[in-house]
């Protein structure tokens, strides 16, 4: 599309039939397999790319749309800045507002990525500690497998201002959501000990490594019951991967990348901030001309930069709606396919999935044969490098430490995190299956692999 001048359980991630409001677009024929292949023909050939979770994937038609917007700006920057940029960003925000069932478009800001969103929220919390509105020693609660960028933002903004951190240790492998809920309750109790307060809970909607769908609505409800002041859901992987309804989830802040599972080019994410008395005190960490005009407006102009990834959201939605069932249809098919492929791999390797299928999004953790001897994060990285360099397979490897583990116990300590996106085929997973079986057959262990 050329740029124009007119310009209960469900929210925890399980499948259901509720659809967020979607803008009506002109109907078109459903996309064909050959058209899907053409859209992703720019992917490096010969690579089994089963790691959509890390960086996502952008169709060629969206890359072309982005280039048109970039050129549109460069042709006449002043006209574009004064007459089109903010209108187009508002249009993109309105689309996201409808998709996630936000009450008002003012609650939706577009930012570069989930890292930026975390900085916005944690900067806000840090100021509350520094200015004495929160007491020294009051706590922030987070999962132990939170994104490293979130942990660093806590360090930068919260702990240096006097806040403490309570870590929830996510059990893995997992058998049920109740295990997560039990550990989360323990952490809240610890944070409230000795008269202290939990000022912020950070909850992943989908953890990254290991990958699990977290019962966010249940945990948010517990936070409200336990007097947690604010709740931030870090849902970097969520939109396009699980159902997102921010009204049902009920958190104060919710962020999801649009370049991971929503087909946008890097880098763009939305940050939902529920309207409240604290809303005016939220600010983008990059201060520019719009400071003080509300977070959404501040975020829409942080100085001269390339905003094209934010402008193509309408074209992305058109691409998504070429698939049967739109965004919900894509995610349901991806979920079903990744579970099927994960179970196939687990059977071939004599292992198991890391959690029940209904806790898998469009990604799944699959146990690796114990004979590979994955005994550290370095071992996991070396094995990943071997799969990439020798077999043409891109897939993350997770090392799971087991207490009281003795070398030779035969316990599963390594997992692959496989993703499924619309461009993947069964052959990608068969290639991974055969590569691991070949390494096992050859007696290869991680001790033999060259250091990275």
């Amino acid at each position: 599309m050329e740029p124009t001048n007119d310009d209960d359980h469900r929210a925890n991630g399980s499948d259901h039939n509720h659809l967020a409001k979607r803008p009506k677009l002109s109907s078109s024929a459903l996309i064909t397999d050959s058209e899907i292949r053409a859209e992703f023909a720019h992917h490096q050939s010969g690579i089994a790319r089963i790691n959509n979770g890390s960086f996502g994937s952008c169709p060629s038609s969206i890359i072309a749309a982005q280039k048109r917007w970039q050129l549109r700006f460069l042709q006449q920057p002043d006209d574009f800045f004064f007459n089109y940029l903010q209108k187009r960003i508002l249009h993109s925000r309105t689309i996201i507002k409808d998709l996630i069932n936000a009450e008002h478009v003012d609650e939706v800001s577009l930012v570069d990525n989930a890292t930026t969103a975390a900085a916005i929220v944690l900067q806000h919390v840090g100021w509350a500690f520094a200015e004495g509105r929160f007491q020294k020693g009051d706590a922030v609660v987070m999962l132990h497998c939170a994104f490293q960028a979130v942990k660093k933002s806590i360090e930068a903004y919260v702990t240096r201002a006097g806040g403490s951190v309570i870590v929830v240790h996510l059990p893995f492998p997992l058998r049920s959501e109740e295990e997560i809920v039990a550990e989360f309750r323990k952490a809240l109790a610890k944070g409230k000990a000795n008269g202290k307060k939990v000022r912020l809970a950070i909850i992943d909607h989908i953890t990254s490594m290991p990958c699990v769908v977290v019962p966010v609505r249940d945990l948010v409800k517990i936070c409200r019951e336990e007097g947690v002041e604010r709740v931030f859901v870090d849902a970097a992987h969520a939109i396009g991967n699980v159902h997102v309804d921010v009204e049902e989830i009920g958190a104060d802040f919710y962020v999801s990348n649009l370049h991971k599972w929503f087909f946008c080019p890097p880098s763009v994410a939305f940050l939902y901030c529920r309207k409240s008395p604290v809303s005016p005190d939220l600010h983008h960490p990059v201060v520019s001309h719009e400071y003080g005009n509300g977070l959404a407006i501040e975020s829409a102009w942080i100085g001269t930069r390339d905003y094209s990834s934010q402008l193509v959201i309408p074209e992305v939605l058109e691409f998504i709606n070429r698939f049967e069932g739109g965004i919900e249809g894509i995610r349901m098919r991806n979920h079903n396919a990744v579970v099927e492929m994960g179970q196939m791999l687990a059977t071939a390797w004599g292992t198991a999935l890391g959690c029940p299928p209904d806790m898998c999004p469009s990604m799944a953790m699959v146990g690796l044969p114990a004979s590979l001897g994955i005994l550290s994060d370095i071992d996991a990285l070396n094995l990943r490098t071997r799969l990439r360099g020798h077999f043409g397979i891109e897939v993350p490897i997770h090392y799971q430490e087991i207490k009281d583990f003795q070398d030779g116990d035969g316990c599963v300590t390594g997992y692959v995190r496989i993703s499924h996106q619309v461009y993947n085929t069964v052959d990608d997973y068969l290639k991974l299956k055969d590569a691991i079986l070949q390494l096992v057959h050859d007696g290869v262990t991680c001790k033999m692999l060259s250091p990275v």
Side-chain angles (χ1 to χ4, degrees):
M1 173 181 157
E2 293 289 342
T4 66
N5 292 347
D6 299 323
D7 287 16
D8 73 331
H9 185 61
R10 296 187 305 218
N12 289 336
S14 298
D15 290 347
H16 57 86
N17 295 321
H18 172 72
L19 287 173
K21 293 177 289 184
R22 297 191 334 198
K24 294 181 180 179
L25 301 173
S26 58
S27 61
S28 60
L30 294 178
I31 194 168
T32 65
D33 289 343
S34 62
E35 287 172 332
I36 293 173
R37 289 193 296 271
E39 286 282 8
F40 298 97
H42 55 281
H43 286 185
Q44 184 177 346
S45 61
I47 302 295
R49 180 172 170 162
I50 45 182
N51 182 29
N52 192 85
S54 285
F55 297 104
S57 51
C58 187
S60 60
S61 60
I62 303 304
I63 296 172
Q66 181 184 31
K67 289 180 178 178
R68 291 194 294 270
W69 283 111
Q70 291 169 331
L71 182 59
R72 179 72 178 275
F73 169 73
L74 294 171
Q75 286 172 332
Q76 226 296 33
D78 299 84
D79 178 61
F80 188 77
F81 172 78
F82 284 106
N83 295 318
Y84 302 107
L85 178 61
Q86 296 308 319
K87 293 178 183 178
R88 182 69 181 198
I89 289 179
L90 177 60
H91 183 32
S92 292
R93 288 170 49 215
T94 301
I95 289 173
I96 298 302
K97 173 255 182 188
D98 291 339
L99 283 172
I100 66 174
N101 194 32
E103 184 176 356
H104 196 279
V105 70
D106 288 349
E107 297 175 319
V108 178
S109 302
L110 294 180
V111 296
D112 284 352
N113 44 46
T115 300
T116 303
I120 291 169
V121 173
L122 290 165
Q123 172 185 254
H124 168 70
V125 173
W127 286 338
F129 277 105
E131 295 167 359
R133 286 176 281 126
F134 294 170
Q135 301 304 309
K136 303 292 184 182
D138 286 351
V140 170
V141 169
M142 70 172 185
L143 300 184
H144 85 276
C145 51
F147 284 91
Q148 191 66 17
V150 173
K151 295 178 180 179
K152 291 296 184 179
S153 286
I154 291 174
E155 179 183 334
Y157 294 114
V158 176
T159 56
R160 70 178 294 178
S164 64
V165 180
I166 306 295
V167 178
V168 182
H169 288 278
L170 182 77
F172 190 81
L174 271 166
R175 292 165 294 185
S176 69
E177 294 178 344
E178 285 68 30
E179 293 177 274
I180 300 175
V181 171
E183 292 300 318
F184 191 76
R185 287 188 180 277
K186 291 178 186 177
L188 292 185
K190 184 177 180 181
K192 294 170 63 179
N194 301 318
K196 297 296 183 181
K197 294 183 178 180
V198 177
R199 297 296 187 171
L200 178 71
I202 304 173
I203 305 169
D204 298 73
H205 197 157
I206 302 171
T207 58
S208 179
M209 288 290 263
C211 172
V212 174
V213 178
V214 172
V216 286
R217 192 178 69 171
D218 296 342
L219 298 189
V220 172
K221 182 180 179 182
I222 291 169
C223 287
R224 302 306 185 199
E225 294 169 352
E226 296 295 326
V228 176
E229 187 144 344
R230 291 159 203 176
V231 182
F232 173 34
V233 175
D234 182 358
H237 285 278
I239 191 166
N241 200 345
V242 293
H243 181 72
V244 177
D245 186 325
V246 294
E247 285 290 301
E248 284 188 357
I249 291 168
D252 300 285
F253 314 109
Y254 187 103
V255 62
S256 186
N257 288 317
L258 296 168
H259 56 260
K260 280 187 182 288
W261 294 93
F262 197 72
F263 300 107
C264 283
S267 55
V268 58
F270 75 83
L271 173 60
Y272 161 82
C273 301
R274 188 176 64 174
K275 276 195 172 183
S276 73
V278 306
S279 297
D281 200 31
L282 290 162
H283 296 284
H284 197 285
V286 177
V287 177
S288 191
H289 301 331
E290 298 289 358
Y291 180 83
N293 290 327
L295 179 62
I297 302 303
E298 288 184 19
S299 300
W301 181 256
I302 55 171
T304 303
R305 63 182 292 276
D306 183 4
Y307 292 90
S308 60
S309 59
Q310 301 181 7
L311 304 181
V312 298
I313 290 173
E315 289 91 338
V316 170
L317 189 59
E318 287 189 7
F319 171 79
I320 288 171
N321 285 339
R322 294 173 64 192
F323 291 81
E324 184 176 2
I327 189 172
E328 295 291 302
I330 290 172
R331 73 171 188 85
M332 290 171 66
R333 287 189 293 275
N334 281 338
H335 165 77
N336 292 338
V338 85
V339 169
E340 181 182 356
M341 293 299 98
Q343 291 173 334
M344 179 273 291
L345 293 173
T347 298
W349 298 337
T351 60
L353 297 182
C355 67
D358 63 357
M359 295 182 71
C360 297
S362 299
M363 300 181 284
M365 304 297 295
V366 187
L368 286 162
S371 63
L372 292 172
I374 302 170
L375 303 177
S376 67
D377 291 329
I378 293 297
D379 286 345
L381 187 56
N382 286 345
L383 178 57
R384 179 177 185 176
T385 302
R386 174 61 65 94
L387 289 172
R388 179 191 301 123
H390 290 256
F391 296 97
I393 299 167
E394 191 60 63
V395 66
I397 310 292
H398 171 67
Y399 163 63
Q400 180 65 39
E401 182 179 7
I402 297 178
K403 292 182 179 180
D404 302 321
F405 172 76
Q406 298 294 323
D407 192 3
D409 275 354
C411 296
V412 172
T413 57
Y415 292 79
V416 290
R417 188 193 74 185
I418 60 171
S419 297
H420 192 282
Q421 188 49 287
V422 296
Y423 55 81
N424 284 121
T425 66
V426 173
D427 287 344
D428 294 331
Y429 306 93
L430 295 177
K431 190 173 184 178
L432 173 60
K433 180 200 74 170
D434 293 342
I436 295 298
L437 292 178
Q438 184 66 53
L439 291 172
V440 171
H441 178 268
D442 293 344
V444 174
T445 68
C446 287
K447 287 182 180 179
M448 302 176 184
L449 302 180
S450 300
V452 177

